[in-house]
Amino acid sequence: FDLDSDNPIRIESKSARLDDKAGTATYTGNVRVTQGEARLEAQRIVLTRKEGELDSLDATGEPATYEQPETPDAPALYAEGNRIHYAAGEGLIVFERNALIRQAGDRFRGNRISYDLEKRVVTATSADDDDEDRVEMTIQPGKNRDNN
Amino acid sequence: DTAPTAAELDWQPWADLPPSLQQEVPRYCGGTYRPVELAGSGEPAGEEQAQADEPINITSRSARYRLDDFMELRGDVRVQQGALRARSDAADYNQVSGELDLKGDVVSRGEGFLLTGDNARASGQGDELELNTATFLLHEAHMRGQATRIRRTGTESMRISEGVLTTCQPDRNDWSIAASQVDLDQDSGFGTARHVRVRVKDVPVMYIPWISFPLDDRRKTGFLYPSFGTSNTGSGFYVATPYYLNLAPHYDLTYTPQFIHGRGYFSEMEARYLGPLGQSDLQVGFIDSDNAYADEAPGNSSKRWGLDFTNRSDFGNNWLGTIDYAAVSDDDYSQDLNRTLNIQQSTHLQREGQLRYRGQGLNFSAALRGFQTIDPAIPQARRPYNQLPRLRLDAGDQWGNWYATSETEYNYFWRENENLGGLNAAVGHRLRTQPEVGWELSGLPGFLRTSVMLDHTEYDLEDVQKDEPFSRSVPFVDADAGLFFDRFFTLGDRFYNQTLEPRLYYVYSPERDQTGIPTFDTALTSFNFSQLFARDRFTGGDRVGDNNRLTAALTTRFYDMDRGIERARFSIGRIQRFEDENVALPNGQGRSSASSSPLAGEFLLQPLDNLTLRSSGQWDEEEGETLRGTSQIRFHSSDFRYLANAGHTYDASTGLEQSDLSSVVPLGEQTSLIGRWIYDMDNDETAGTLAGIEYTSCCWNMQLVAQRYRTRDEGLDTRILFQIQLRGLGGGGSAADTIRREIPGFEQRQPPHSAPPMEELKRPADNGWP
Amino acid sequence: CGFQLRGAGSIPDALAPLALDCADDIPGPLCSEVREQLELYQLLAGDGEEPAHTLKLVTYEQNRRTSALTDRAAAAEYEIQATVGLRLITSDDIPLLADTQLSASEVYRADEEQVLAGEREQSGIEGVLQQQLAQQVTRRLTPFTEERIRLLREQYDADEDSDNEGS
């Protein structure tokens, strides 16, 4: 999501609960957050604000999914994970447990995948407690990048 | 500790092998390499995506990826791209350049090979892989080694720099080859190496600037390993190092320079060409300055050569062509320079070009034939005629019980005859035709055949007094009848069928005076049991015998019905002559006035599958003496590793009596003693002995053979041949090859290194990917 | 004394109709002699008749070795051994007789002063050896009674099943 764009962010869900004191909003039941074409769907999403600004977003689902259409500077992206966490300060989206990211023919799967928005760096790690767990990637070679 | 080498990764000790493999892999090999079944290697090779756009599949413990730019992978990294399959502790992938740097414990597996290295770089979408401080293993060639750098391009070729390679099992360094550069090309099945140091137990023993060797046995090559030996007469100490040039899939060249002590440099070259019609094979030997030979006799030139060309061509629809041409510069060439282990000295070299048609009931052949006689002791008059040409036409047909055949042969016989006189000087044309009509009734209980034949020959001779054409016609009438009786009985638990086979054969042909006819190709056939039923006592066209004789013979056989094998056979027969036989060869042979021939008999016993006794001979019961006899006893163990043969032959007419004992005795699994001894009872001396030892280990075998055989005029010649064959570096020929022909049963022995086929060796991929 | 003229019995007709398949390098006389013998025993499949079994003559080899030497080290006696390799399979490719080698040998005098005559004698002997081989080939079919074929088939199927389980 691009928070400073003037595009409105719409949230639909079965139920919602606002807690002004804590500055949190909790939406449960087929929650769908859309901004333009970008879409986030989950069972439960908790938004926290700080000084009126969105500080963090925490979505959980079986799995929670995020889709972002192609933009001039980045190809379309699809991602999912049992938990999706976004912390504005860190500029990082983290997908945890059965995390998967697909972009321009590349594919990442692992226990935890984080995506640094400015540096456009994906970091995938496997579960520390299970040394059989592995991170899996399929990368299209350089040549295919441009025509995807 | 250091990472396991490629060989150690795939090595499975003998004890862990499944029983089926334990039978095929010799225990002394200590085990064998078992490549892992490549997961997903089954995808059809045909539609392999073009290597360029192969996606890379990677798994690891963790990964950092800057989109479209750079990726760092850590923790048991496994990479698969196209045919490349590798793992390492860590890897960095530059997406723009497509280069993948693997670091720490790199292992890469492909179809038929395994590579390891400290670090490696894959580029060109996995098409090229370069490993440093690397080790390699080629499964089919059973070849392993290590090198400072190994570069693999494509799926088939590999370049090894500063490498050491061997085909010995991981814990053995019996021999190895160090080379500055080795190129292995699995596609063509060949390797070449430069600046080669052959090392035994890591000690360099021989330097060879350049060597090429086969990686598989697709191309049966001559021996390609260095061989050396000595002989007191003839070729002295020699060292031969062959080079194999694989010029193209269908033609190759083997060049073997050889240093012979006392004679200098002798080079042999064998070129083979597989044309569309068939294979041609040219062998040439040449020595420029053979001083030993030049000093032997004045006028001997020191340049000596030998040539042997063979060709087989199939022209289609039953037409075949063959060419065999051999020639040498002088009579002693093969004895001095061609150190084969054949016991007999060849006395003639054949030259023949032949065209043959073989059809239904019709055979035709046209040939130009000649010989080079290389035994000076054979007098001019006894040297073979050239047939320039020899044309043959055989035809035959059948109608019910009637049959008709005709054999026709035309020859122009020619040879040098300046200093020959009388009939020996004769040369000329001979046309012989033998039309025959016969009636035959054959069935299970027996057979009856009778026929009439006219043996008609036209001569047109030159260089003899009677040189106007003449002819000779001899009619033949013969009849052949036989009955088959059976008796079935059991002996112990075996069911036998004994047969009783009486047979009568009568032949009549009138006498014709043939004293004025030269013998171009005629002699008396050696007399044995099957000769009793031959139409004539002469072989060849220049003497047609006068016959009025009846042959009576009886054969009994014992068949083992459960195995379908003839366990025993006894045959006896005799010829009853009703008239004297007067037609004879110029030396008087062939004449006989005895009313009955000596008794001819033969027996064969095969009590066990691996024991055979045979004996055949002729007895003259009036004088109660054997005229001629040959007998053999043959034994071999079921795996043909233990052989024992004894033979004896005796011929009263020529005084020949010799015994021939030969044996191969295995000492344990790896060593065999080889021996042969021919003793000449007539001259009471040894005609020839051969004693050898063959040692086989998993990656090399050795033959040490000593031989003392008669030579033409220098008494007994001792030859010692010591040959080492480095497995994987030299296919076929070895001393064992020539032994093969000398000792019956030797050729059925299991070749020492028959590894089981790759498919059987593959083991399922456990998690130890790749 | 128990002998009677040969009837059909000695080679079981369980193999009939039997097809004969000679490889290219099998000499003509050997192949036609075996064909004749099979016809005699009424085993040979007629043209167009579907064969139940096939007898394949696969390899033919001739090996001449020197068995005695003259005092000038030339060959005084040769021994020729002819060996034929054969295979017997059912119409559904079950091997009744895997690669079996039969051989016959004969010894004859060598005379280095009669080279052309020696060649003719050798080709004569080759003919005799091929006759003997043909008889041995035919006789090798004696064990294949109905019952033996059934046993071999069962054993083959049993091995086949154990192979499938094994891999």
Side-chain angles (χ1 to χ4, degrees):
Chain A
F1 296 103
D2 184 353
L3 295 177
D4 37 30
S5 90
D6 46 16
N7 233 328
I9 297 179
R10 292 184 55 253
I11 303 179
E12 298 155 28
S13 73
K14 273 219 187 84
S15 64
R17 192 166 57 75
L18 297 177
D19 175 346
D20 278 343
K21 195 158 63 48
T24 63
T26 308
Y27 303 86
T28 51
N30 299 345
V31 184
R32 174 202 289 264
V33 179
T34 52
Q35 180 187 36
E37 299 299 318
R39 208 173 50 243
L40 173 65
E41 288 174 6
Q43 291 308 324
R44 180 171 174 281
I45 292 186
V46 176
L47 294 176
T48 53
R49 290 178 192 287
K50 223 183 241 137
E51 297 100 14
E53 285 296 318
L54 174 64
D55 181 45
S56 78
L57 173 148
D58 202 303
T60 48
E62 299 297 328
T65 64
Y66 168 71
E67 254 170 83
Q68 185 187 330
E70 184 161 359
T71 60
D73 55 13
L77 180 125
Y78 167 81
E80 67 180 47
N82 292 0
R83 177 170 177 259
I84 302 180
H85 174 71
Y86 166 66
E90 296 152 14
L92 214 56
I93 304 182
V94 178
F95 301 81
E96 279 177 340
R97 291 195 312 288
N98 308 330
L100 167 69
I101 294 188
R102 266 208 306 273
Q103 185 179 43
D106 298 347
R107 199 163 52 82
F108 305 87
R109 177 183 297 116
N111 177 48
R112 181 180 182 284
I113 302 181
S114 68
Y115 180 62
D116 181 321
L117 291 165
E118 298 108 19
K119 295 200 204 90
R120 292 184 65 231
V121 169
V122 174
T123 306
T125 54
S126 47
D128 296 341
D129 49 15
D130 167 8
D131 51 22
E132 286 308 315
D133 182 32
R134 299 176 68 72
V135 169
E136 286 164 20
M137 283 143 285
T138 302
I139 307 287
Q140 292 306 334
K143 194 179 70 47
N144 286 12
R145 306 289 322 139
D146 26 49
N147 56 26
N148 229 18
Chain B
D1 57 0
T2 58
T5 67
E8 283 149 1
L9 277 173
D10 273 4
W11 179 256
Q12 196 164 47
W14 197 82
D16 306 348
L17 292 176
S20 64
L21 279 184
Q22 281 182 342
Q23 270 137 25
E24 292 192 60
V25 175
R27 181 191 289 270
Y28 55 78
C29 278
T32 189
Y33 297 115
R34 299 203 58 195
V36 166
E37 185 77 51
L38 287 185
S41 71
E43 79 263 17
E47 309 112 15
E48 233 171 46
Q49 279 160 311
Q51 188 67 13
D53 52 14
E54 285 287 334
I56 301 187
N57 301 313
I58 302 177
T59 79
S60 62
R61 286 291 288 170
S62 72
R64 264 189 81 254
Y65 172 46
R66 187 156 359 93
L67 290 181
D68 303 343
D69 185 9
F70 188 77
M71 178 187 290
E72 288 160 7
L73 303 141
R74 296 295 175 269
D76 192 9
V77 179
R78 295 175 194 173
V79 177
Q80 188 273 321
Q81 182 179 26
L84 167 71
R85 191 180 296 275
R87 60 107 21 226
S88 62
D89 295 343
D92 295 338
Y93 175 63
N94 178 325
Q95 193 148 9
V96 175
S97 69
E99 274 166 7
L100 173 71
D101 282 322
L102 302 150
K103 287 188 277 298
D105 234 347
V106 180
V107 177
S108 166
R109 181 184 294 283
E111 198 52 47
F113 66 87
L114 181 65
L115 303 169
T116 69
D118 283 359
N119 54 65
R121 157 164 299 183
S123 52
Q125 271 77 41
D127 199 17
E128 277 115 35
L129 176 68
E130 192 169 300
L131 301 99
N132 299 315
T133 52
T135 76
F136 73 93
L137 169 66
L138 289 181
H139 296 100
E140 194 166 359
H142 211 268
M143 186 181 285
R144 67 178 170 86
Q146 74 265 6
T148 52
R149 190 159 42 83
I150 295 182
R151 201 160 143 11
R152 184 175 68 77
T153 49
T155 54
E156 296 294 338
S157 61
M158 207 182 296
R159 165 160 295 181
I160 297 161
S161 311
E162 294 312 324
V164 176
L165 60 90
T166 178
T167 55
C168 295
Q169 61 255 43
D171 50 8
R172 293 280 295 273
N173 60 354
D174 297 8
W175 66 268
S176 57
I177 283 195
S180 63
Q181 182 180 307
V182 180
D183 288 313
L184 303 177
D185 179 355
Q186 284 180 278
D187 187 24
S188 72
F190 267 92
T192 57
R194 284 185 181 70
H195 304 311
V196 171
R197 282 91 65 202
V198 179
R199 311 181 326 170
V200 173
K201 298 263 185 231
D202 301 336
V203 173
V205 291
M206 181 178 288
Y207 172 80
I208 306 175
W210 183 87
I211 185 170
S212 79
F213 47 88
L215 292 180
D216 51 37
D217 50 19
R218 246 179 300 181
R219 194 183 294 263
K220 266 280 160 272
T221 59
F223 48 85
L224 271 181
Y225 43 82
S227 74
F228 25 86
T230 177
S231 126
N232 57 358
T233 63
S235 62
F237 175 79
Y238 68 90
V239 179
T241 50
Y243 293 95
Y244 188 94
L245 306 176
N246 162 37
L247 305 174
H250 53 282
Y251 59 89
D252 59 34
L253 188 71
T254 306
Y255 171 63
T256 310
Q258 187 184 141
F259 168 74
I260 305 179
H261 177 70
R263 291 192 186 279
Y265 274 95
F266 171 65
S267 40
E268 278 174 315
M269 197 201 63
E270 177 182 9
R272 298 187 312 178
Y273 177 79
L274 192 58
L277 296 173
Q279 170 146 354
S280 307
D281 191 326
L282 172 69
Q283 287 178 334
V284 176
F286 176 73
I287 184 163
D288 186 44
S289 59
D290 181 344
N291 348 40
Y293 181 69
D295 311 341
E296 251 164 47
N300 281 4
S301 123
S302 69
K303 286 187 171 36
R304 308 171 75 188
W305 52 269
L307 163 81
D308 188 349
F309 175 73
T310 58
N311 167 280
R312 296 283 171 277
S313 306
D314 183 343
F315 301 104
N317 41 54
N318 294 332
W319 285 95
L320 290 173
T322 59
I323 297 174
D324 290 288
Y325 188 92
V328 286
S329 57
D330 55 271
D331 294 348
D332 296 335
Y333 173 85
S334 16
Q335 182 176 343
D336 290 351
L337 294 169
N338 192 348
R339 59 191 191 313
T340 63
L341 282 170
N342 294 341
I343 59 166
Q344 88 280 2
Q345 289 296 306
S346 51
T347 53
H348 297 276
L349 296 179
Q350 187 189 27
R351 294 120 185 244
E352 176 189 68
Q354 179 175 177
L355 190 63
R356 224 161 21 117
Y357 173 82
R358 193 191 297 174
Q360 244 347 17
L362 180 74
N363 286 340
F364 168 74
S365 83
L368 293 171
R369 307 186 71 238
F371 296 87
Q372 175 183 5
T373 303
I374 54 174
D375 179 354
I378 298 184
Q380 200 71 20
R382 309 287 347 125
R383 295 195 174 193
Y385 280 88
N386 300 310
Q387 296 164 292
L388 307 169
R390 179 196 69 192
L391 307 178
R392 270 193 188 148
L393 182 65
D394 307 342
D397 211 339
Q398 256 176 319
W399 307 274
N401 291 86
W402 292 91
Y403 68 89
T405 64
S406 84
E407 283 176 23
T408 308
E409 180 175 311
Y410 162 75
N411 276 288
Y412 180 70
F413 291 106
W414 178 86
R415 68 178 178 181
E416 298 290 340
N417 58 2
E418 298 87 15
N419 35 36
L420 290 178
L423 283 182
N424 287 330
V427 290
H429 310 268
R430 183 185 80 188
L431 174 66
R432 179 186 189 199
T433 177
Q434 295 170 288
E436 175 180 345
V437 173
W439 181 85
E440 186 172 13
L441 175 67
S442 63
L444 285 181
F447 66 92
L448 174 63
R449 186 187 58 76
T450 176
S451 77
V452 287
M453 186 270 281
L454 177 67
D455 186 320
H456 177 74
T457 311
E458 300 273 346
Y459 282 94
D460 183 356
L461 302 180
E462 299 145 17
D463 305 349
V464 275
Q465 292 100 2
K466 199 170 89 172
D467 58 8
E468 73 280 0
F470 62 94
S471 69
R472 171 199 60 209
S473 266
V474 185
F476 272 78
V477 174
D478 70 356
D480 197 350
L483 290 173
F484 301 110
F485 296 90
D486 286 329
R487 183 170 76 92
F488 299 94
F489 63 96
T490 52
L491 196 62
D493 57 359
R494 307 307 288 251
F495 188 46
Y496 283 94
N497 161 15
Q498 183 189 3
T499 75
L500 207 56
E501 299 167 23
R503 182 176 176 186
L504 290 174
Y505 176 68
Y506 173 78
V507 59
Y508 170 78
S509 62
E511 179 186 351
R512 291 288 185 269
D513 174 18
Q514 298 167 61
T515 47
I517 302 179
T519 51
F520 294 118
D521 65 353
T522 302
L524 209 55
T525 41
S526 32
F527 188 77
N528 55 38
F529 183 75
S530 53
Q531 182 59 24
L532 288 177
F533 309 99
R535 195 193 302 261
D536 204 347
R537 54 186 182 281
F538 297 105
T539 177
D542 301 312
R543 284 298 180 279
V544 178
D546 50 338
N547 298 290
N548 182 359
R549 56 183 162 86
L550 175 68
T551 301
L554 182 66
T555 297
T556 180
R557 305 172 198 266
F558 292 82
Y559 283 109
D560 171 345
M561 299 291 278
D562 302 334
R563 296 289 312 288
I565 293 179
E566 188 181 47
R567 286 295 180 207
R569 172 174 81 227
F570 302 89
S571 311
I572 191 135
R574 141 173 289 157
I575 298 179
Q576 201 60 35
R577 293 193 188 87
F578 303 121
E579 271 177 77
D580 290 355
E581 288 170 352
N582 300 319
V583 174
L585 293 167
N587 60 16
Q589 277 185 342
R591 197 166 285 118
S592 165
S593 53
S595 68
S596 60
S597 78
L599 260 177
E602 187 180 63
F603 79 83
L604 175 117
L605 287 176
Q606 194 175 10
L608 307 167
D609 283 359
N610 45 22
L611 177 66
T612 320
L613 296 94
R614 256 179 69 85
S615 185
S616 68
Q618 291 88 40
W619 299 276
D620 182 338
E621 20 22 325
E622 271 111 35
E623 271 86 27
E625 53 149 27
T626 307
L627 298 173
R628 199 168 167 281
T630 67
S631 25
Q632 286 115 27
I633 302 175
R634 294 263 161 80
F635 169 78
H636 61 82
S637 55
S638 50
D639 58 9
F640 281 95
R641 289 206 65 231
Y642 182 77
L643 306 173
N645 308 301
H648 173 266
T649 186
Y650 168 73
D651 187 343
S653 62
T654 59
L656 169 79
E657 179 169 14
Q658 286 185 15
S659 65
D660 177 1
L661 308 177
S662 62
S663 171
V664 172
V665 177
L667 301 175
E669 257 192 332
Q670 294 180 265
T671 315
S672 299
L673 296 178
I674 305 166
R676 182 181 190 190
W677 177 51
I678 304 179
Y679 186 71
D680 178 349
M681 284 91 161
D682 184 26
N683 303 328
D684 218 354
E685 64 175 18
T686 293
T689 24
L690 176 138
I693 181 164
E694 183 181 56
Y695 175 79
T696 318
S697 102
C698 208
C699 53
W700 58 278
N701 57 35
M702 181 275 298
Q703 286 104 20
L704 174 64
V705 177
Q707 231 195 358
R708 261 178 79 75
Y709 276 112
R710 276 180 176 159
T711 57
R712 279 194 210 118
D713 34 36
E714 289 147 11
L716 291 177
D717 167 24
T718 309
R719 270 176 263 180
I720 299 170
L721 196 65
F722 175 79
Q723 230 146 0
I724 290 189
Q725 183 183 358
L726 309 182
R727 173 180 172 189
L729 285 199
S734 69
D737 252 5
T738 32
I739 299 176
R740 202 173 302 284
R741 275 193 300 276
E742 287 197 40
I743 301 185
F746 194 86
E747 63 272 12
Q748 277 104 340
R749 258 158 52 108
Q750 263 291 342
H753 304 299
S754 59
M758 267 302 124
E759 278 325 305
E760 271 176 55
L761 286 171
K762 287 210 163 143
R763 54 190 158 98
D766 50 21
N767 56 16
W769 190 88
Chain C
C1 55
F3 279 103
Q4 352 102 330
L5 267 178
R6 178 169 300 166
S10 58
I11 295 195
D13 49 19
L15 285 173
L18 175 66
L20 175 64
D21 168 8
C22 294
D24 294 347
D25 55 5
I26 301 290
L30 172 59
C31 192
S32 47
E33 182 60 32
V34 170
R35 195 178 301 282
E36 241 170 70
Q37 301 240 337
L38 295 182
E39 264 156 7
L40 265 183
Y41 285 99
Q42 288 110 26
L43 292 172
L44 201 61
D47 332 340
E49 194 183 0
E50 188 49 37
H53 303 88
T54 305
L55 172 63
K56 290 189 179 211
L57 300 188
V58 180
T59 57
Y60 178 80
E61 244 182 81
Q62 227 170 252
N63 180 352
R64 185 183 80 173
R65 63 186 276 278
T66 304
S67 48
L69 287 173
T70 68
D71 45 22
R72 285 190 54 73
E77 185 186 78
Y78 286 125
E79 180 196 0
I80 291 194
Q81 179 172 26
T83 308
V84 65
L86 60 105
R87 194 179 303 145
L88 180 66
I89 52 171
T90 64
S91 45
D92 45 2
D93 275 347
I94 294 182
L96 300 179
L97 200 57
D99 293 328
T100 308
Q101 303 267 335
L102 298 177
S103 61
S105 65
E106 187 61 88
V107 170
Y108 68 103
R109 206 159 25 128
D111 182 347
E112 291 309 330
E113 297 188 351
Q114 301 284 357
V115 174
L116 290 182
E119 284 177 346
R120 285 191 189 281
E121 180 167 9
Q122 178 172 332
S123 59
I125 289 176
E126 283 162 12
V128 169
L129 291 180
Q130 284 165 23
Q131 295 278 350
Q132 287 175 10
L133 282 181
Q135 207 165 37
Q136 281 187 42
V137 167
T138 322
R139 276 289 166 173
R140 201 60 182 75
L141 307 178
T142 346
F144 295 97
T145 56
E146 203 73 39
E147 206 246 348
R148 171 71 72 90
I149 295 175
R150 195 172 40 72
L151 262 173
L152 286 169
R153 197 179 270 278
E154 274 159 19
Q155 197 189 351
Y156 181 81
D157 294 343
D159 295 351
E160 204 57 14
D161 302 343
S162 71
D163 279 359
N164 296 344
E165 285 142 24
S167 61

